[in-house]
Amino acid sequence: MAQTAVAETGHPQEVIAEKPWRPRGNPWLIALTVTLATFMEVLDTSIANVALPHIAGGLGASSDEATWVITSYLVANAVILPASAYFTTFIGRKKFYMMCVVMFGVSSMLCGLAPSLAMLVFFRILQGAGGGGLGPSEQAILADTFPPHQRGQAFALYGLAVVAAPAIGPTLGGWITDNYTWRWIFFINVPVALLSLYLTNKMVEDPPHIVKEVALSKKNGINLDYFGFALLGLGFGSLEFVLDKGQEDDWFGSHMITFFIGLCVVSLVTLIYWELRQLRIGERPILNLTLFKRKSFAVAFVLLFVLGFSLYSSTVLIPQYVQTLLGYTAELAGFVLSPGGFTIMLMMPVVGFMISRVDPRYMITFGFLLLSWSLYRMHSLSLQSSFKDIMWLRIYQAASLAFLFIPINTISYNGVPQAQNNDVSGLSNLARNVGGSVGTSFVATMLARRSQTHQAVLGRNLTNGDPAFQARIHSLSSFLQGHTGAGSSSDTIAAAQGNIYNQVHSQASMLAYLDIMSVLMVFCLAVVPLVWIVGKPAKMAKDAPVH
């Protein structure tokens, strides 16, 4: 296929239009292969949360020390995520992906064998580094494997891994730790990693533009940007540390948190300047910041941040609410989320089918409106809410996420050259993961602060001078004395006061949960106009040539 162009001299010149590269294997088998490892990695980010008390007890550590098992993983993950595209330039995407699978599998086995907390944290750093390269590599593989009109269906598989895994992680983690030992939450990754490694070696291949980049790097010599990578590690590593430990250490009330906030800001500002300088002198930057010149990618980046914020906030919020206020077990709390996971599994293929037929902007708008409505409906929750009520609210939330994940990821690749697919996937995953970390930190901070505020307001009239309070104390005291046979009235009065305090504390916490839902609802509604900044996407041709 050829087209004719006219040069400045006025003479026609022939411009060759090349047909886009497609892999030799079945694209859907390739999609299943790469989704397997990503599901394993995303599952591991949530499955370890419920096992922290068991890990602390098994290794003789405190609960605060055990949280480093989570923090170390998140920090290493955040550093590798945006740099994954950079490393594929030197070693190839398939080789990089397989190296990440090997590192994740081996470090998972070592985590299960760890004899001490210090060794476990070290192996979790390696595991986070290996896992950080899986998601971006898979997304880039899918973008290159499928033509534009099928990307939505391919991203539906990826969405199942990213959205459903955090929902079933707590349930699976609780079941494993209750019935076996916490070490098996790491051991189960090993056979999955081996299977993924075998299938990847057989089915996945690098496209020509990756092969060409690797050959060019070998010819010119591998010149790694050590300073840029150091800035990247300091910036995003400090950010994850601050988000994970901020509420625990009282934010700016802690000198350590303040120091890391300053380090994060200085590192990221310097990184932006350094990366732009690398572009000016013709060097390969670690972060391709030129992507933000594209309106569709810049908007998609923000929307993915909001998606991650909402997804992880609600995933943390609901189990915490039912366990702390309604007395659910960890396994029962997981069952509340499970129907939402099944809803996503049902909706993702439907949305993937619709994406090539419906304007993605309409789908994203509908998704955010449905998510906002479900958060508004959560204001009906109380301390008497039933399992069924909570389950249905979660199903509505899950249905909205299906309408967000696929269309947002699809528009992020709109108009981007195939050679930059790796850069898009790395930054897109970074936006979602950082959004999730910010959302989790936001929930922890606001829950603690708003609970204190509501408790102070509710407790204003609970004084000895208030007749209603005194009448309630004597009523409860008489009830307890008649049913427990306690001889001392002072004991029953103290018990009655403790009972009222527990009621106030529960009501204050319930109001704090409602406050968080209100903020999330407003946040989701606020980004709806942003969707329409993006122009109408071009029609996705089935096999449009690349000129």
Side-chain angles (χ1 to χ4, degrees):
M1 180 179 178
Q3 288 184 344
T4 301
V6 179
E8 294 180 359
T9 58
H11 299 291
Q13 291 181 331
E14 193 174 52
V15 180
I16 303 299
E18 299 176 355
K19 191 174 182 180
W21 171 87
R22 295 290 172 254
R24 288 169 293 182
N26 186 309
W28 291 107
L29 292 179
I30 295 173
L32 287 171
T33 296
V34 293
T35 300
L36 183 66
T38 302
F39 182 83
M40 170 186 67
E41 187 270 329
V42 178
L43 184 70
D44 205 79
T45 60
S46 60
I47 197 173
N49 292 352
V50 295
L52 285 183
H54 299 267
I55 293 174
L59 297 178
S62 67
S63 298
D64 289 343
E65 290 173 334
T67 58
W68 281 101
V69 173
I70 306 298
T71 306
S72 58
Y73 183 92
L74 293 175
V75 169
N77 203 265
V79 172
I80 298 299
L81 264 173
S84 57
Y86 181 74
F87 290 122
T88 59
T89 305
F90 302 107
I91 60 178
R93 188 167 60 204
K94 177 180 177 179
K95 189 178 291 186
F96 175 73
Y97 183 77
M98 293 178 68
M99 287 172 62
C100 289
V101 173
V102 170
M103 182 180 289
F104 191 87
V106 171
S107 56
S108 294
M109 183 180 65
L110 294 174
C111 284
L113 297 172
S116 65
L117 181 65
M119 294 300 294
L120 177 59
V121 169
F122 174 72
F123 295 140
R124 282 283 283 177
I125 292 174
L126 297 179
Q127 191 185 37
L134 295 177
S137 297
E138 183 204 344
Q139 199 169 337
I141 289 170
L142 293 178
D144 282 339
T145 299
F146 290 85
H149 74 284
Q150 287 186 329
R151 277 180 187 165
Q153 299 170 46
F155 286 149
L157 271 177
Y158 179 65
L160 286 177
V162 171
V163 180
I168 68 174
T171 306
L172 181 60
W175 182 82
I176 290 174
T177 51
D178 288 343
N179 293 278
Y180 298 97
T181 173
W182 62 266
R183 296 182 184 275
W184 276 101
I185 66 175
F186 299 114
F187 287 147
I188 60 172
N189 293 330
V190 177
V192 180
L194 290 173
L195 178 61
S196 174
L197 196 64
Y198 173 78
L199 293 175
T200 301
N201 184 50
K202 290 290 185 182
M203 306 196 67
V204 177
E205 53 187 301
D206 283 338
H209 67 88
I210 296 288
V211 176
K212 185 178 178 181
E213 281 184 347
V214 173
L216 191 62
S217 298
K218 289 180 179 179
K219 180 181 178 182
N220 297 333
I222 297 177
N223 184 22
L224 291 174
D225 183 7
Y226 295 105
F227 183 65
F229 188 71
L231 290 173
L232 183 73
L234 286 174
F236 287 107
S238 300
L239 177 63
E240 284 293 342
F241 175 82
V242 167
L243 292 173
D244 194 56
K245 294 290 185 181
Q247 171 57 26
E248 182 182 319
D249 294 340
D250 195 29
W251 295 102
F252 287 101
S254 165
H255 293 298
M256 182 171 64
I257 294 296
T258 305
F259 168 77
F260 277 104
I261 289 174
L263 181 62
C264 172
V265 172
V266 171
S267 299
L268 292 181
V269 171
T270 309
L271 176 65
I272 293 172
Y273 169 79
W274 178 260
E275 294 303 287
L276 294 176
R277 175 185 175 276
Q278 292 292 94
L279 281 171
R280 286 197 301 270
I281 64 176
E283 294 289 337
R284 171 71 163 90
I286 291 180
L287 297 181
N288 186 2
L289 300 179
T290 59
L291 287 171
F292 288 97
K293 292 181 179 180
R294 297 180 179 274
K295 191 184 298 183
S296 58
F297 175 80
V299 171
F301 185 88
V302 176
L303 295 179
L304 282 169
F305 176 88
V306 176
L307 174 61
F309 187 97
S310 306
L311 169 63
Y312 286 95
S313 296
S314 58
T315 303
V316 169
L317 197 67
I318 294 176
Q320 197 170 351
Y321 156 66
V322 297
Q323 288 183 80
T324 57
L325 297 184
L326 303 186
Y328 285 24
T329 63
E331 190 172 354
L332 190 58
F335 285 133
V336 173
L337 297 179
S338 297
F342 289 118
T343 302
I344 293 171
M345 292 179 188
L346 293 174
M347 292 301 300
M348 282 289 188
V350 176
V351 177
F353 176 79
M354 293 172 59
I355 192 66
S356 60
R357 294 163 176 80
V358 180
D359 189 334
R361 297 176 299 174
Y362 288 109
M363 300 176 72
I364 296 171
T365 301
F366 174 76
F368 275 120
L369 291 177
L370 180 58
L371 179 57
S372 301
W373 178 81
S374 68
L375 290 167
Y376 171 76
R377 289 287 299 141
M378 289 185 109
H379 281 77
S380 63
L381 294 177
S382 68
L383 297 177
Q384 287 76 43
S385 295
S386 67
F387 180 95
K388 182 180 177 181
D389 294 335
I390 303 168
M391 179 193 72
W392 276 107
L393 289 173
R394 180 60 183 174
I395 287 174
Y396 298 144
Q397 273 189 359
S400 68
L401 294 174
F403 283 94
L404 294 174
F405 187 87
I406 299 173
I408 295 174
N409 274 285
T410 301
I411 66 170
S412 66
Y413 288 89
N414 189 33
V416 176
Q418 192 177 37
Q420 295 182 1
N421 282 346
N422 282 338
D423 298 291
V424 172
S425 60
L427 289 172
S428 298
N429 279 270
L430 176 70
R432 193 190 68 251
N433 278 34
V434 172
S437 297
V438 173
T440 304
S441 180
F442 166 80
V443 167
T445 301
M446 193 169 180
L447 185 60
R449 305 293 169 91
R450 294 302 297 169
S451 293
Q452 293 171 356
T453 301
H454 287 299
Q455 188 168 320
V457 173
L458 293 174
R460 272 179 197 160
N461 295 323
L462 301 182
T463 62
N464 290 329
D466 184 74
F469 176 65
Q470 287 298 321
R472 182 64 177 164
I473 288 290
H474 288 300
S475 174
L476 281 172
S477 177
S478 300
F479 175 82
L480 292 171
Q481 196 163 16
H483 284 77
T484 61
S488 172
S489 62
S490 60
D491 291 340
T492 56
I493 289 175
Q497 290 174 337
N499 181 274
I500 291 177
Y501 171 78
N502 289 335
Q503 292 182 45
V504 171
H505 183 268
S506 297
Q507 293 290 349
S509 298
M510 186 71 245
L511 291 171
Y513 281 108
L514 297 180
D515 288 345
I516 295 172
M517 294 166 196
S518 298
V519 174
L520 290 175
M521 179 189 69
V522 173
F523 194 35
C524 291
L525 285 174
V527 298
V528 171
L530 191 64
V531 178
W532 295 92
I533 294 177
V534 181
K536 185 177 181 180
K539 183 175 178 60
M540 296 179 181
K542 287 193 174 182
D543 221 5
V546 177
H547 298 288

